[in-house]
Amino acid sequence: MSDGANLLAEMNDRSREVFRRVVEGYLTSGEPMGSRSLSRTMTEKVSAATIRNVMQDLEFLGLLDSPHVSAGRIPTQRGLRMFVDGLLEVGTVAKEDQERIDATLGDSDRDVATLLDQVGSTLSGITRGASLVLSPKHEAPIKHIEFVSLSPDRALVVLVFADGHVENRLFTPPAGQTPSSMREAANFLNALAGGRTLSDLRRTMTQDIARHRQEIDVLARELVESGLAIWENGGEQGERLIVRGRANLLEGATEGQEIDRIRSLFDDLERKRDISDFLELTEAGDGVRIFIGSENKLFSLSGSSLVVSPYMNADRKIIGAVGVIGPTRLNYGRIVPIVDYTAQLLGRLVSDRGKG
């Protein structure tokens, strides 16, 4: 068992109930919970003085904190973690929420990118947090690659996929490129790429260049090698992470320190940094994961919580992720099933589109 589970198991019924009611009250109101109000809700009749003693013990254990002198208690990050792992009661998705999510995905005429954007907007609206949707990489076989010179220091690589999807990515080509070296590089890549996905091409590109390096001149080889960096980073990073509902995070923020933390979070989201890390958060296993405060390596400066789940294609391969980020006093019991339900629907949607 984890330390939290051991600690929870060692508590008596009274301590466990006081702890649970403090956390639930805080998650509902955002306010510290006092002994007098708790004494009116306890299962057994207990004095406010007795509850104060219990809360002091829980504070000593690092589970509760007192934000102000003579104020009530709020859970610490450790306390929230223990509550989420051992006492959280996860409900089902409310019918109204389910209908709103279903309606978002119901229009089969829209492309996947538009649908994912709509899902993000709906999710942020339902949860009153910021939604994060990581869209899948395009994995159809490549049909054709072309380089187009726009200026001496600006070029375009055009990727045409077998399913008709087209991606254009701007990049800075190596110095000295000519129209003929661009044609030679494109011909070289097209000979290698036929019928392979972008991921397949990435995996073997370095070996292919080494094996055939005598077949193309230096300029064309430099262009092909620079393409590796383009396909790893260009275009994808800014486009794949869809963030909606940032303004929701400002609701209820009053203290200057709290507003500063949210601004820091905004900056992180604006830069859309560590997108690969966002997907890695989900790869430890199927299902929803909850990251509280500093456990969340993406947004640890913001004092926020992230509820995130991967979604999978028909082959049970993780292809994207969906999540909600908000203050640590999120309504976890409600948001967890919403994120889970949305992830499952997205997986089915993307799988069905792939069959079309």
Side-chain angles (χ1 to χ4, degrees):
M1 285 197 292
S2 67
D3 289 344
N6 283 326
L7 201 52
L8 200 57
E10 291 169 4
M11 284 184 188
N12 60 34
D13 291 343
R14 179 182 296 167
S15 296
R16 195 178 295 113
E17 184 179 0
V18 169
F19 173 68
R20 178 174 59 79
R21 289 188 182 278
V22 169
V23 177
E24 288 176 345
Y26 171 73
L27 293 181
T28 300
S29 68
E31 299 295 327
M33 298 301 294
S35 56
R36 195 169 299 280
S37 60
L38 284 177
S39 67
R40 294 193 289 267
T41 62
M42 292 287 290
T43 304
E44 61 173 327
K45 190 171 177 60
V46 187
S47 70
T50 299
I51 291 176
R52 276 197 297 276
N53 289 335
V54 173
M55 290 199 297
Q56 285 172 357
D57 291 342
L58 293 170
E59 188 172 354
F60 177 77
L61 292 170
L63 302 177
L64 299 183
D65 191 17
S66 181
H68 306 291
V69 177
S70 75
R73 303 303 200 282
I74 63 172
T76 61
Q77 179 179 310
R78 184 186 184 198
L80 278 174
R81 179 82 265 165
M82 194 172 84
F83 174 83
V84 164
D85 290 345
L87 294 174
L88 178 65
E89 295 180 3
V90 176
T92 56
V93 182
K95 185 178 180 183
E96 177 187 345
D97 294 337
Q98 187 173 324
E99 287 173 350
R100 286 180 65 182
I101 298 168
D102 290 347
T104 301
L105 300 177
D107 187 349
S108 59
D109 293 333
R110 290 174 296 176
D111 60 37
V112 171
T114 303
L115 282 169
L116 294 176
D117 186 79
Q118 286 285 112
V119 168
S121 296
T122 300
L123 197 55
S124 67
I126 290 172
T127 62
R128 305 308 303 163
S131 67
L132 310 175
V133 179
L134 186 66
S135 65
K137 295 179 183 179
H138 202 80
E139 287 297 323
I142 297 168
K143 183 179 179 182
H144 183 72
I145 298 171
E146 187 173 348
F147 292 102
V148 180
S149 178
L150 302 177
S151 68
D153 62 348
R154 207 79 173 139
L156 194 69
V157 58
V158 182
L159 301 171
V160 182
F161 295 85
D163 62 357
H165 178 78
V166 178
E167 289 186 17
N168 300 315
R169 299 184 185 174
L170 281 169
F171 71 105
T172 302
Q177 291 296 325
T178 64
S180 61
S181 67
M182 287 195 169
R183 278 195 302 274
E184 186 178 356
N187 290 338
F188 176 77
L189 285 171
N190 283 315
L192 296 174
R196 296 158 83 180
T197 67
L198 205 49
S199 294
D200 293 336
L201 196 58
R202 276 199 202 100
R203 278 193 291 269
T204 62
M205 180 68 74
T206 304
Q207 297 93 315
D208 287 335
I209 290 173
R211 194 178 303 119
H212 301 282
R213 62 185 301 114
Q214 302 306 320
E215 298 175 20
I216 55 175
D217 68 21
V218 174
L219 282 176
R221 188 163 66 243
E222 286 178 355
L223 187 60
V224 170
E225 288 170 343
S226 70
L228 284 172
I230 300 162
W231 295 318
E232 283 294 339
N233 304 309
E236 283 185 3
Q237 300 288 25
E239 295 165 4
R240 290 191 62 214
L241 187 64
I242 302 165
V243 183
R244 293 292 175 266
R246 278 173 282 208
N248 292 337
L249 300 178
L250 285 170
E251 290 182 6
T254 52
E255 296 183 9
Q257 189 177 11
E258 188 176 357
I259 292 172
D260 287 344
R261 284 202 306 267
I262 292 170
R263 286 194 180 122
S264 170
L265 172 60
F266 280 8
D267 289 342
D268 284 346
L269 293 176
E270 196 63 44
R271 286 193 297 270
K272 295 184 172 77
R273 68 183 181 86
D274 299 330
I275 290 178
S276 59
D277 288 343
F278 177 59
L279 188 56
E280 283 173 17
L281 292 179
T282 69
E283 290 181 344
D286 191 1
V288 180
R289 301 188 70 197
I290 298 172
F291 297 87
I292 300 170
S294 60
E295 299 171 351
N296 179 352
K297 64 179 177 177
L298 295 187
F299 311 117
S300 59
L301 293 179
S302 68
S304 303
S305 284
L306 173 67
V307 180
V308 61
S309 176
Y311 59 92
M312 304 181 182
N313 62 14
D315 299 323
R316 301 294 294 167
K317 177 186 175 186
I318 293 174
I319 54 172
V322 59
V324 171
I325 189 167
T328 53
R329 65 176 193 86
L330 281 174
N331 184 343
Y332 298 98
R334 175 173 176 260
I335 289 176
V336 165
I338 287 174
V339 169
D340 186 41
Y341 181 76
T342 305
Q344 291 183 43
L345 274 185
L346 282 179
R348 286 200 293 273
L349 167 78
V350 173
S351 297
D352 291 345
R353 290 299 177 96
K355 295 171 187 172

